[in-house]
Amino acid sequence: MIEFKPSDGNEARSAEIALQLKKLDAEMASPNIKETRHAELNIIYRRLTAERDVLTSR
C-alpha cells in the first residue's frame, strides 16, 4: 500500500491514490491476468477507492 508522510495533505494523498488507481486499471485490463491476481488487485482497488472517498469528503 501507499505510505504517506504526516505532512502530506489530502490533495497530495488523493493525487497519489489516483495514480495508483490508474496503474491498477491498466494491470487489471490485461488479457493475460490470472483470476487470482485480478481478485487481489480488485481488493486493493476497493481499499484505495474507499480511502480516496474519505479524503475527498473532508
Side-chain angles (χ1 to χ4, degrees):
M1 291 305 279
I2 303 169
E3 295 285 330
F4 293 112
K5 295 181 244 168
S7 61
D8 289 342
N10 286 355
E11 189 173 315
R13 291 176 186 218
S14 293
E16 181 61 30
I17 289 171
L19 177 65
Q20 294 301 318
L21 288 173
K22 284 183 183 181
K23 290 178 183 179
L24 286 172
D25 281 337
E27 189 172 350
M28 290 171 70
S30 171
N32 299 325
I33 192 169
K34 295 186 179 192
E35 188 175 331
T36 54
R37 180 65 179 151
H38 190 276
E40 292 168 355
L41 294 175
N42 197 26
I43 291 167
I44 295 168
Y45 193 93
R46 287 194 311 256
R47 287 180 184 162
L48 285 172
T49 302
E51 187 171 343
R52 181 193 60 195
D53 292 347
V54 168
L55 289 172
T56 57
S57 68
R58 292 182 183 177

